[in-house]
């Protein structure tokens, strides 16, 4: 490569990573938020103290908050189908609440009284097919709720032979409602703790899960995969690390090019540490990726190979793209909108 071309490439790289975030606070409240949904020009959230509500993206005075239960439940999940928002609290008993999108009427749809119930993530796809994942049951088997349009399909009441066995100490993290990913007819679920694996199934056989090993950091209860996203049925990314050692950045980012069957570590020792949520930028062909953790926000523009810290704002756990240049983040006591410049 000619020297002039190399200089131009370096300058271009610096320009690309000169991304700045313009921040606007949408909501302040005494709440911890780890689950978001975008609908009807609003940010919808669930969180601590049984709180559920929304704030408008255009007018922060347009907001509403309600409590889903008189009990002080903590919600780290929030899913949306075509008709409902749905949320399940962590800890047992686990209550699945449905909120009608039009009337905001709340109903209790399902209760899981198993002592091991601890629901970490819950999402629907555009076909109203939903998956909520709990930590394993007392027999060490998966304990999901699976909804196949138009009716719930057995909703996890029976142990199915195609569900995987967990290793002792393997479970899921309720960090950002994003350790489940869906694309087309495929679903992926990430684990952590003693093992960091990927479970995968197809909607044609949704109780027949395959389990794949990863080279991700694993071995203790605080280590593993905290969040995954897939751009298409082949290319995906996983982020996480160790919650108790958030500055450590070894083997905490990985990508896959074959639909989650094999994973390649990226930027080990060269990233900003522990992350709780990762999302592909829309229409970027998988090249641009945002990742947030308790300590910072990072951005990659080369398919996750290298990362740049673009904000050192702390206490944010979950994010979602509003459009190709705008994101919403939430976490400790606030929801913020950020625009990339």
């Amino acid at each position: 490569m000619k020297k002039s071309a190399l200089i131009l490439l370096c300058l271009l790289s610096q320009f690309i990573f000169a991304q700045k975030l313009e921040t606007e606070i949408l909501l302040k409240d005494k709440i911890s938020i780890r689950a978001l949904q975008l609908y009807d020009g609003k940010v919808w959230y669930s969180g601590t103290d049984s709180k559920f509500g929304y704030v408008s993206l255009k007018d922060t005075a347009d907001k509403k908050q309600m409590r889903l239960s008189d009990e002080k439940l903590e919600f780290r999940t929030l899913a949306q189908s075509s008709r409902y928002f749905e949320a399940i609290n962590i800890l047992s008993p686990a209550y699945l609440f449905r909120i009608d999108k039009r009337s905001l009427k709340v109903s209790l749809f399902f209760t899981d009284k198993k002592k091991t119930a601890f629901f970490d993530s819950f999402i629907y796809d555009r076909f109203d097919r939903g998956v909520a994942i709990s930590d394993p049951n007392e027999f060490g088997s998966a304990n999901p709720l699976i909804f196949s349009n138009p009716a719930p399909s057995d909703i996890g009441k029976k142990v199915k032979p195609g569900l995987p066995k967990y290793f002792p100490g393997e479970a899921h993290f309720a960090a950002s409602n994003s350790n489940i990913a869906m694309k087309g007819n495929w679903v992926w679920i990430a684990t952590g703790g003693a093992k960091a694996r990927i479970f995968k199934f197809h909607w044609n056989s949704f109780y027949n899960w395959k389990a794949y090993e990863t080279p991700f950091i694993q071995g203790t209860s605080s280590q593993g995969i905290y969040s995954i996203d897939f751009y298409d049925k082949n290319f995906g990314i996983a982020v996480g690390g160790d919650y108790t050692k958030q500055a450590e950045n070894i083997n905490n980012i990985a990508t896959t090019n074959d639909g989650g069957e094999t994973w390649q570590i990226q930027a080990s020792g060269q990233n900003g540490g522990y992350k709780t949520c990762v999302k592909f930028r829309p229409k970027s062909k998988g090249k641009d990726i945002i990742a947030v953790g308790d300590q910072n926000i990072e951005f990659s523009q080369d398919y996750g190979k290298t990362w740049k810290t673009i904000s050192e704002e702390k206490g944010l756990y979950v994010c979602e793209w509003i459009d190709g240049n705008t994101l919403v983040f939430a976490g400790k006591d606030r929801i913020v909108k950020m625009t990339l410049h």
Side-chain angles (χ1 to χ4, degrees):
M1 182 181 291
K2 293 183 179 179
K3 185 177 180 180
S4 58
L6 182 61
I7 293 172
L8 179 62
L9 183 62
C10 291
L11 290 173
L12 179 61
S13 175
Q14 291 175 8
F15 172 77
I16 288 173
F17 274 124
Q19 299 278 2
K20 299 293 183 181
L21 281 176
E22 178 185 336
T23 303
E24 176 189 357
I25 296 176
L26 299 179
L27 179 75
K28 281 189 175 182
D29 187 35
K30 188 65 177 177
I31 187 175
S32 178
I33 300 171
R34 292 181 179 270
L36 295 174
Q37 292 290 339
L38 299 176
Y39 172 71
D40 192 30
K42 302 176 179 69
V43 183
W44 300 78
Y45 62 90
S46 63
T48 48
D49 291 334
S50 296
K51 291 178 179 179
F52 166 84
Y54 71 80
V55 59
S56 171
L57 287 165
K58 294 183 178 180
D59 179 9
T60 57
D62 180 9
K63 59 185 177 180
K64 181 180 179 65
Q65 188 178 92
M66 53 201 288
R67 296 192 64 198
L68 299 181
S69 170
D70 291 333
E71 298 180 48
K72 285 194 172 184
L73 303 177
E74 181 174 352
F75 292 92
R76 297 191 179 189
T77 66
L78 183 63
Q80 66 166 316
S81 64
S82 57
R83 288 189 58 190
Y84 302 103
F85 292 107
E86 302 187 6
I88 311 175
N89 60 288
I90 60 172
L91 303 179
S92 178
Y95 303 105
L96 192 164
F97 291 93
R98 276 187 165 173
I99 305 98
D100 187 281
K101 282 185 170 181
R102 292 186 178 180
S103 67
L104 297 187
K105 180 181 178 181
V106 179
S107 59
L108 178 60
F109 180 72
F110 175 74
T111 303
D112 188 340
K113 295 182 178 180
K114 289 191 290 294
K115 292 181 180 180
T116 55
F118 191 107
F119 280 89
D120 306 89
S121 190
F122 188 10
I123 65 172
Y124 277 91
D125 68 7
R126 62 190 180 93
F127 302 108
D128 281 354
R129 300 178 298 194
V131 179
I133 190 66
S134 169
D135 286 347
N137 61 27
E138 64 269 32
F139 305 108
S141 295
N143 180 41
L145 302 180
I146 296 180
F147 301 85
S148 180
N149 192 41
S153 300
D154 205 21
I155 57 174
K157 289 183 179 180
K158 298 177 181 178
V159 176
K160 294 290 183 177
L163 295 180
K165 282 281 190 179
Y166 289 63
F167 287 85
E170 181 183 21
H172 308 279
F173 292 115
S176 60
N177 198 46
S178 62
N179 55 25
I180 303 174
M182 296 183 183
K183 194 63 64 173
N185 286 315
W186 291 103
V187 180
W188 300 265
I189 302 170
T191 74
K195 282 281 189 176
R197 294 191 294 170
I198 296 293
F199 300 148
K200 179 181 179 180
F201 70 85
H202 192 279
W203 277 109
N204 287 344
S205 182
F206 50 74
Y207 280 115
N208 184 20
W209 298 13
K210 301 292 185 182
Y212 298 102
E213 301 281 341
T214 77
F216 220 85
I217 183 173
Q218 55 195 280
T220 70
S221 61
S222 57
Q223 296 175 339
I225 302 170
Y226 281 72
S227 178
I228 56 173
D229 196 19
F230 274 76
Y231 190 80
D232 54 34
K233 67 178 182 179
N234 295 314
F235 185 55
I237 187 165
V239 302
D242 189 331
Y243 173 76
T244 64
K245 301 174 182 178
Q246 296 193 16
E248 292 194 0
N249 59 1
I250 304 299
N251 297 345
N252 66 316
I253 300 172
T255 57
T256 178
N257 291 289
D258 58 8
E261 295 186 17
T262 62
W263 293 80
Q264 296 77 46
I265 293 295
Q266 305 291 353
S268 184
Q270 300 178 345
N271 66 82
Y274 167 77
K275 291 292 177 290
T276 54
C277 190
V278 64
K279 296 289 180 180
F280 284 106
R281 189 180 203 169
K283 299 180 181 179
S284 68
K285 297 184 179 179
K287 184 179 179 181
D288 297 351
I289 312 166
I290 200 88
V292 62
D294 289 11
Q295 302 302 313
N296 55 52
I297 300 170
E298 288 191 282
F299 194 58
S300 173
Q301 289 190 294
D302 56 5
Y303 305 96
K305 293 181 176 63
T306 62
W307 294 82
K308 179 73 174 180
T309 298
I310 58 174
S311 172
E312 294 186 351
E313 186 157 353
K314 300 184 182 353
L316 296 174
Y317 315 131
V318 57
C319 65
E320 191 64 72
W321 288 94
I322 300 169
D323 55 42
N325 294 311
T326 315
L327 302 107
V328 62
F329 294 82
K332 181 176 174 54
D333 300 334
R334 68 202 190 280
I335 298 174
V336 299
K337 183 172 73 171
M338 297 188 183
T339 304
L340 280 168
H341 292 288

